[in-house]
């Protein structure tokens, strides 16, 4: 009170109020920063885990085909010939088919036996290939070019150096293992790219070891996928082997130059990127406690210069010995930078407002605090499983960028993780949007809904297991994506049920034609069940509903197509019973 006696009337009326405004501005700014930090922590963990999961899926798809290539080249139970020349035609046919399974990247399959003989088929294109042949246990290989699966072999070209298959790492590795095995990752001397070889032992008719069949897998696509990721300015993603050697990185080199100027493997701890070194050292400490964990995990650690970093990691393993670790590391400043800048800007605005007008300052802080609070509430709703939580933040600053990232994450959550298709929520939203478009134009164009239910899928699950059932669903999903137009939408509705929206059809005849095409596509044999049940088919009952003839809203269209599907399924079962009765 005595202090007020020394102040003028103007100072006495303004200074305490300005101090109060500054205090309130600081308090509101602190609360805003805290709310933003909570939102960022929740979103960053989910986004990093989702990114690691995406990388793991891409890597799995890349290496998955190698086992199918070997199985096609030498199916289980098929004995190796005593001499390659005695079974050359069969080998050519099988290896042509094997290199057709996943021609990119498995375009080379080969076989070497204990006699030193060698057979390899390299696919240059869909129709052009070369045969690398050594039918005796000594001397160089002969190279024959040919076209088509049974094309005539052209004049051979003899290699200048002697190729001894029994001395190659893939032969020794396959010979010593009773199952599939991966060789160590190495650098191909021609392409200077990282390559891994999958090999399998092959026995003769007497059950004795005869040779090893193998296929090469270029890892360049893994590195290219990492570099295509949209990370933060300072974030990094990489894939590393247990010994620390890098498979690929989102930035910087994954190979190094040796003393001779050639390429050599780069270890994560020898990387020039400090974030790679620090994150690998920290993640390596955590791996023994999560050796069997393939789902993404998150961690927070400090770098050598005490900068906090958020990371997510997962292990990618298979029965053949593949063991990779996927890591994404992002400095926390990348996530919190926008919130920090927004806080500082708001405090500055509050200071300016205290000098100009208290009301304007409080309004600005109220708006910012409200946006951050909505972000925090939306993040909590997502954490509680509400993936359709609305977020009406349209700012054009860092908070707006954070809101856009949140919406992008919501979009990813509207996809089916097993098949990669849209899920039920995304489909219903798309149909609702289409209905809005229909009502907005004077001459709306019809569209159709197809409801698909796979035949005998429960039998497949019961007979072959849920893992095979999942692969069947993935194969069916890819068939439908490949057989429909790009503007049509395919979604997994539930279990073995799928739905399709034919974006625009001229009439019911067009829709019936699309349904017939889809039924025929789903009737072809399932590759997912080979070789256990070669030629097995799933097929499906496909119901049809057309807007506006069969319904005016989503529910009625789905009910109509579901009922139509059920009638077709019942008709099929009735026909089968009559057929079995007539046969009996």
């Amino acid at each position: 009170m005595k202090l007020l006696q020394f102040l003028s009337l103007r100072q006495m009326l303004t200074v305490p109020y300005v101090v109060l405004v500054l205090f309130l501005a600081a308090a509101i700014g602190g609360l805003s920063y805290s709310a933003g930090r909570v939102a960022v922590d929740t979103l960053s963990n989910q986004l990093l885990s989702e990114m690691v999961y995406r990388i793991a899926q891409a890597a799995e798809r890349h290496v998955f085909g190698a086992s199918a290539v070997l199985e096609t080249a030498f199916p289980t139970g098929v004995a190796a010939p005593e001499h390659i020349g005695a079974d050359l035609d069969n080998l050519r046919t099988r290896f042509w088919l094997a290199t057709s399974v996943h021609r990119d990247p498995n375009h080379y399959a080969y076989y070497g036996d204990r006699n030193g003989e060698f057979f390899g088929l390299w696919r240059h294109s869909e129709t052009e290939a070369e045969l690398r042949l050594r039918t005796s246990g000594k001397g160089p290989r002969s190279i024959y070019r040919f076209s088509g699966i049974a094309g005539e072999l052209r004049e051979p070209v003899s290699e200048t150096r002697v190729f001894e298959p029994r001395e190659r790492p893939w032969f020794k590795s396959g010979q010593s293992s009773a199952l599939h095995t991966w060789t160590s990752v190495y650098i191909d001397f021609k392409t200077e790219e990282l390559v891994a070889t999958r090999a399998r032992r092959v026995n003769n008719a007497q059950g004795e070891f005869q040779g090893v069949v193998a296929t090469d897998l270029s890892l360049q696509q893994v590195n290219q996928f990492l570099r295509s990721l949209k990370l933060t300015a300072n974030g990094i993603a990489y894939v590393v082997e247990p010994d620390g050697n890098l498979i690929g990185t989102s930035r910087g080199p994954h190979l190094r130059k040796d003393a001779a100027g050639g390429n050599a493997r780069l270890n994560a701890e020898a990387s020039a990127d400090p974030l790679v070194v620090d994150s690998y050292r920290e993640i390596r400490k955590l791996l023994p406690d999560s050796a069997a964990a393939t789902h993404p995990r998150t961690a927070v650690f400090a770098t050598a210069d005490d900068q906090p970093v958020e990371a997510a990691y997962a292990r990618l393993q298979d029965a053949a010995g593949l063991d990779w670790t996927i890591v994404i590391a992002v400095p926390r400043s990348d996530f919190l930078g926008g919130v920090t800048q927004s806080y500082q800007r708001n405090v500055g605005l509050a200071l300016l407002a205290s000098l100009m007008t208290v009301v304007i300052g409080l309004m600005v802080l109220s708006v910012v605090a409200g946006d951050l609070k909505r972000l925090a509430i939306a993040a909590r709703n997502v954490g509680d499983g509400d993936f359709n939580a609305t977020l009406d933040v349209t700012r054009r600053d860092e908070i707006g960028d954070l809101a856009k990232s949140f919406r992008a994450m919501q979009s990813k959550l509207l996809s089916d993780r097993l098949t990669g298709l849209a899920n039920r929520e995304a489909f219903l939203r798309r149909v609702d949007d289409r209905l809005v478009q229909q009502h907005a134009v004077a001459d709306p164009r019809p569209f159709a809904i197809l409801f698909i239910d796979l035949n005998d899928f429960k039998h497949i699950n019961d007979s072959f297991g849920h893992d095979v059932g999942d692969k069947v669903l993935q194969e069916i999903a890819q068939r439908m994506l490949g057989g429909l137009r790009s503007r049509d939408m395919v979604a997994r509705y539930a279990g073995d049920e799928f739905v399709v929206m034919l974006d625009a059809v001229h009439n019911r005849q067009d829709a019936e034609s699309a349904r017939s095409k889809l039924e025929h596509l789903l009737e072809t044999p399932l590759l997912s069940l080979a070789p256990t049940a070669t030629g097995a088919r799933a097929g499906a009952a496909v119901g049809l509903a057309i807007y506006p003839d069969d319904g005016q809203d989503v529910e009625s269209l789905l009910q109509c197509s579901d009922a139509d599907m059920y009638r077709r399924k019942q008709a099929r079962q009735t026909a089968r019973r009559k057929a079995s009765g007539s046969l009996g």
Side-chain angles (χ1 to χ4, degrees), residues 96-355:
W96 178 278
L97 296 176
T99 52
S100 300
V101 174
H102 297 282
R103 190 162 55 82
D104 185 13
N106 298 108
H107 58 271
Y108 183 38
Y110 47 93
Y111 166 72
D113 69 10
R114 63 185 183 183
N115 303 317
E117 299 178 16
F118 180 84
F119 177 95
L121 196 147
W122 184 294
R123 291 287 290 278
H124 293 283
S125 67
E126 184 176 353
T127 58
E128 293 297 318
E130 71 178 41
L131 189 63
R132 300 177 179 183
L133 194 61
R134 175 171 142 164
T135 56
S136 65
K138 57 184 179 179
R141 298 180 299 185
S142 297
I143 310 299
Y144 299 84
R145 293 294 294 262
F146 65 98
S147 301
I149 187 171
E152 182 180 354
L153 299 180
R154 300 166 195 162
E155 286 296 323
V157 176
S158 181
E159 290 183 323
T160 56
R161 61 190 183 95
V162 175
F163 178 85
E164 175 50 65
R166 292 170 291 188
E167 297 300 323
R168 306 302 294 175
W170 56 268
F171 188 92
K172 296 178 179 179
S173 179
Q175 180 180 8
S176 60
S177 176
L179 302 173
H180 286 252
T181 183
W182 287 99
T183 64
S184 300
V185 176
Y186 61 93
I187 301 175
D188 185 85
F189 74 94
K190 289 184 179 179
T191 63
E192 296 189 344
E193 298 175 357
L194 290 180
V195 175
T197 299
R198 183 157 182 151
R200 177 168 65 86
R201 172 190 178 118
V202 181
N203 296 330
N204 57 23
Q206 290 74 38
E208 302 170 340
F209 169 74
Q210 183 66 27
V212 176
V213 61
T215 183
D216 291 342
L217 177 71
S218 171
L219 302 181
Q220 182 65 15
Q221 291 185 14
V222 175
N223 193 57
Q224 291 173 348
F225 180 81
L226 290 172
R227 293 185 182 277
S228 70
L229 296 174
K230 296 186 181 301
L231 300 173
T232 62
N234 301 299
I236 191 167
Y238 59 90
V239 180
V240 65
E241 292 186 281
D243 58 4
N245 286 334
L246 291 169
I247 298 294
T249 63
S250 61
R251 70 169 186 232
H254 62 288
L255 299 174
R256 63 177 177 85
K257 294 295 182 181
D258 57 19
N263 283 331
R265 299 297 304 280
L266 176 63
N267 195 277
E269 293 199 81
S271 173
D273 192 323
L275 189 56
V276 173
V277 177
D278 292 337
S279 60
Y280 175 69
R281 288 176 178 171
E282 292 298 325
I283 298 303
R284 186 176 58 181
K285 298 175 185 177
L286 301 174
L287 286 178
D289 297 330
S290 57
T294 56
H295 295 290
R297 298 192 175 194
T298 57
V300 178
F301 62 90
T303 61
D305 55 354
D306 291 329
Q307 296 297 316
V309 173
E310 291 195 31
Y313 62 97
R315 297 187 76 167
L316 181 62
Q317 298 173 305
D318 69 5
L322 184 74
D323 189 359
W324 295 350
T325 301
I326 302 165
V327 180
I328 296 181
V330 178
R332 280 182 64 82
S333 58
D334 281 12
F335 286 119
L336 292 174
V339 177
T340 302
Q341 292 175 11
S342 178
Y343 169 73
Q344 294 170 346
R345 183 168 55 251
N346 291 333
V347 170
L349 290 173
L351 289 172
L352 180 62
S354 67
L355 297 175

Side-chain angles (χ1 to χ4, degrees), residues 58 82 110 129 170 180 199 201 310 357 380 383-384 485 537 563:
E82 289 295 329
Y110 47 93
W170 56 268
H180 286 252
R201 172 190 178 118
E310 291 195 31
T357 170
R380 283 197 298 269
D384 292 336
R485 301 170 300 184
R537 309 165 188 266

Side-chain angles (χ1 to χ4, degrees), residues 435-453:
L435 290 170
V436 171
Q437 295 176 11
Q438 294 291 98
H439 298 150
V441 296
D443 186 21
R445 189 172 180 181
F447 67 93
I449 300 292
L450 301 180
F451 198 102
I452 300 127
D453 183 74

Side-chain angles (χ1 to χ4, degrees), residues 352-365:
L352 180 62
S354 67
L355 297 175
M356 297 176 63
T357 170
V358 173
V359 176
I360 294 176
L362 290 175
M363 289 176 59
V364 170
L365 288 174

